Amino acid sequence: MITLKSKREIGLMRDAGELVARAHRIVREMIEPGVTTLEIDQAVEEFFAAQDAEPLFKGYPGEGTTPFPSVTCMSPNEQVVHGIPSTEPLKSGDILSVDTGCRIHGWCGDAAWTYPVGDVDAESQHLLDVGEEMLNVAIEQMGRQKKWSTVAKKMMKLAKTKRLSLVEQFVGHGIGREMHEGPQVPNYTTESLQRDDFELQPGLVLAVEPMLNGGTSDIRVLKDQWTVVTADGKRSVHFEHTVALTEDGPIRLTEGVGEK
């Protein structure tokens, strides 16, 4: 079920999006060799608490496992999504995907970004550049296309052209009063998915989040039943904005995420 949002509701969602963007600025300022992802997670948790914002991830129920323990997903290098913050120090040359969200005034915001730690190699930088480009292309095309599948086709074409793999097991989603609402927002398309396609119309608010792997698109889940890694150990990136489609085109409600 797809619930379109009014201009007033989109304005309230912008408040949540701004807090998520501010949380990501804290992340960017803290990322450096020697810092742990647990320290960064604790700083984000303290920030949300100071803003009276409800973290969306901490306590999120898992399938057959314990609830997610942290306010952020911290996924370094070959980890795709849902990485649990740890006491392992970051090293120069790492990349770190950070996903977080919050609810305030009853409305949600959600965004992810992959950050370099110090200087990264050319292969990692290529992955970072294409991941960010893919998110930008998707948001731009939301304002030009009539159906989501057409946007997803352009995302697939970009990945193929750049010789990277799109993760298909995880997709974006509608967002509003809840973090996960309809519709599902795949970053790829097939004939069966096109039967469940949806129109791009004003009032639609989506969490658009491509995940790109440097090698195979195959993934596996670690024993903690949360952390998802690439099957071949190659690196992965994750970029996400909460995006509202308006009469004037798409608006990034989490504008500022990833910026210095």
Side-chain angles (χ1 to χ4, degrees), residues 186-202:
N187 305 307
Y188 64 99
T189 187
T190 63
E191 288 186 8
S192 61
L193 283 173
Q194 287 183 39
R195 289 194 290 271
D196 296 321
D197 205 359
F198 57 91
E199 292 185 11
L200 296 169
Q201 55 186 314

Side-chain angles (χ1 to χ4, degrees), residues 119-139:
D119 295 324
V120 300
D121 60 30
E123 187 175 354
S124 296
Q125 190 61 56
H126 175 66
L127 194 55
L128 290 164
D129 291 343
V130 178
E132 184 174 354
E133 179 184 359
M134 181 168 288
L135 179 59
N136 289 335
V137 166
I139 295 171

